[in-house]
């Protein structure tokens, strides 16, 4: 019986084989490279060559760097606000879209707001650099029409983090909206009818039926997003920042890139990456535990 079942499921196992091999080659084999974090690594000697072992010196060096605290602050500040806005905006848009009765218009809006999710930050970075330009950018032309001074969104330390948070929210809120719309669709229509009989208007129906019906999905996504607390978005910031905004825009990932690939300090860059990975592992584990307790979410 077991043998027949195994033979019947062989095609299914073969389907996951490419993904499994991809995971092994690109996710597990590179783990051996973390040994560089504990070495004074010289590439010419090779990964398993006669490298000088320095223990935790690379970590101590990073922690004592004068700009490390500001990099941590930038990372947490941008990441946390992205998570908050990434939850709030899709919920509001999903509730508003749910009120649209014209099916064609509803599908059209969903498609329009979902499209930016498929564009890379390489493309979007170039677009935003043009439209946010302080000299001839579209946004600043509108600002000047109302009599205000132009704003250097990507070159001013005060405006750069806000610009990163808002542009990321614009790119991704369509994806989140689809998820919350699916959650709204799963709410029992009888609850709305009962609320109408009790005299509840649309606003009270939203407060007492729609939001409670979305609660589990909201809690689940919020908890799972905790694992991205140190992911402030390398692709976005790398394509849009400059040395003028390192003070407010330099995050852990861009710092690793500059110190590792540009300054060739591979041991220190690996130490920072390992530090981030360990913190992320703890956050993911905690968030998974909370998701299991609150929303009964389980992978297996």
């Amino acid at each position: 019986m077991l043998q027949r079942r195994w033979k019947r499921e062989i095609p299914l196992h073969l389907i996951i084989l490419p993904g499994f091999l991809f995971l092994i080659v690109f996710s597990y084999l590179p783990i051996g490279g973390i040994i560089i974090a504990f070495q004074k690594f010289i590439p010419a000697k090779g990964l398993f060559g006669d490298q000088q072992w320095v223990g935790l010196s690379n970590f101590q060096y990073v922690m004592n760097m004068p700009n490390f605290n500001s990099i941590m602050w930038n990372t947490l500040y941008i990441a946390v606000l992205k998570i908050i806005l990434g939850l709030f905006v899709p919920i509001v848009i999903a509730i508003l879209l749910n009120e649209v009765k014209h099916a064609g218009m509803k599908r059209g809006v969903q498609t329009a707001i979902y499209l930016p999710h498929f564009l890379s930050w390489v493309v979007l970075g170039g677009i935003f650099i043009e439209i946010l330009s302080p000299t001839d950018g579209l946004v600043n032309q509108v600002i000047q029409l109302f009599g205000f001074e132009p704003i250097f969104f990507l070159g001013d330390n005060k405006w750069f983090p806000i610009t990163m948070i808002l542009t990321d929210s614009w790119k991704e809120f369509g994806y989140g909206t689809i998820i919350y719309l699916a959650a709204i669709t799963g709410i029992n229509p009888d609850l709305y009818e009962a609320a109408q009989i009790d005299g509840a208007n649309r606003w009270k129906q939203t407060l007492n039926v729609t939001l409670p019906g979305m609660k589990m999905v909201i809690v689940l996504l919020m908890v799972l997003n905790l694992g991205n607390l140190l992911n402030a978005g390398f692709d976005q910031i790398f394509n849009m920042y400059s040395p003028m905004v390192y003070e407010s825009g330099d995050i852990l990932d861009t710092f690793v890139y500059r110190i590792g690939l540009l300054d060739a300090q591979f041991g220190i860059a690996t130490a920072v990456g390992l530090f981030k990975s360990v913190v992320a592992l703890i956050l993911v584990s905690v968030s998974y535990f909370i998701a299991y307790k609150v929303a009964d979410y389980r992978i297996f």
Side-chain angles (χ1 to χ4, degrees):
M1 179 69 179
L2 187 63
Q3 190 176 8
R4 285 205 305 271
R5 182 182 174 186
W6 170 253
K7 288 181 179 178
R8 190 173 64 247
E9 293 180 351
I10 283 179
L12 299 177
H13 292 288
L14 290 177
I15 289 174
I16 67 171
L17 184 60
F20 181 72
L21 291 176
F22 185 89
L23 187 70
I24 293 293
V25 172
F26 293 102
S27 297
Y28 283 93
L29 290 182
I31 289 177
I34 63 175
I35 194 174
I36 297 174
F38 306 96
Q39 296 174 336
K40 186 177 182 180
F41 184 72
I42 299 175
K45 294 182 178 179
L47 182 61
F48 300 104
D50 185 22
Q51 304 285 352
Q52 181 183 352
W53 185 264
V54 296
L56 298 176
S57 295
N58 287 330
F59 294 91
Q60 292 172 347
Y61 177 82
V62 170
M63 301 297 177
N64 292 326
M65 291 181 74
N67 58 342
F68 183 74
N69 289 335
S70 68
I71 291 170
M72 279 298 296
W73 166 253
N74 294 339
T75 305
L76 290 172
Y77 175 70
I78 294 174
V80 169
L81 288 183
K82 278 184 177 179
I83 291 173
I84 294 173
L85 212 59
L87 285 169
F88 179 74
V89 175
I91 291 172
V92 173
I93 300 298
I95 291 173
L96 293 177
L97 267 181
N98 187 53
E99 298 298 322
V100 177
K101 301 305 177 188
H102 192 284
M105 180 183 290
K106 193 173 181 179
R107 281 196 297 270
V109 172
Q110 285 183 55
T111 304
I113 63 177
Y114 192 33
L115 279 178
H117 174 74
F118 297 101
L119 299 176
S120 74
W121 277 114
V122 176
V123 176
L124 288 178
I127 294 173
F128 279 119
I129 288 171
E130 289 297 324
I131 66 174
L132 297 177
S133 168
T135 53
D136 54 0
L138 177 64
V139 175
N140 272 309
Q141 288 181 10
V142 174
I143 290 175
Q144 291 179 79
L145 281 178
F146 289 93
F148 295 101
E149 292 293 322
I151 299 171
F152 197 176
F153 290 99
L154 301 180
D156 188 325
N157 280 303
K158 183 177 70 176
W159 285 98
F160 184 79
I162 298 171
T163 306
M164 294 299 101
I165 294 162
L166 293 179
T167 51
D168 179 78
S169 178
W170 171 82
K171 181 177 183 293
E172 300 296 343
F173 83 91
Y175 179 78
T177 300
I178 301 294
I179 297 174
Y180 292 118
L181 270 175
I184 293 174
T185 306
I187 298 174
N188 188 350
D190 293 343
L191 295 175
Y192 288 104
E193 292 180 11
Q196 286 175 353
I197 293 172
D198 289 341
N201 55 26
R202 298 303 297 175
W203 173 244
K204 287 186 177 177
Q205 290 177 37
T206 300
L207 290 179
N208 297 302
V209 179
T210 307
L211 284 176
M214 300 167 63
K215 185 179 71 175
M216 297 306 289
V217 176
I218 295 171
V219 171
L220 179 63
L221 292 181
M222 183 173 63
V223 170
L224 293 180
N225 277 334
L226 289 177
N228 293 320
L229 204 59
L230 291 184
N231 288 325
F234 172 79
D235 292 344
Q236 179 195 20
I237 292 179
F238 178 73
N239 283 289
M240 296 171 73
Y241 84 155
S242 65
M244 288 187 294
V245 289
Y246 278 175
E247 181 185 340
S248 64
D250 203 15
I251 59 173
L252 280 175
D253 290 329
T254 54
F255 176 69
V256 168
Y257 166 78
R258 286 190 293 105
I259 203 169
L261 295 182
L262 300 185
D263 298 340
Q265 299 186 65
F266 301 105
I268 295 171
T270 309
V272 177
L274 181 57
F275 165 76
K276 180 190 166 191
S277 298
V278 170
V279 174
L281 175 64
I282 295 171
L283 290 173
V284 168
S285 302
V286 171
S287 60
Y288 180 75
F289 177 76
I290 296 174
Y292 171 68
K293 290 294 183 184
V294 175
D296 196 27
Y297 173 79
R298 286 176 291 185
I299 297 176
F300 302 106

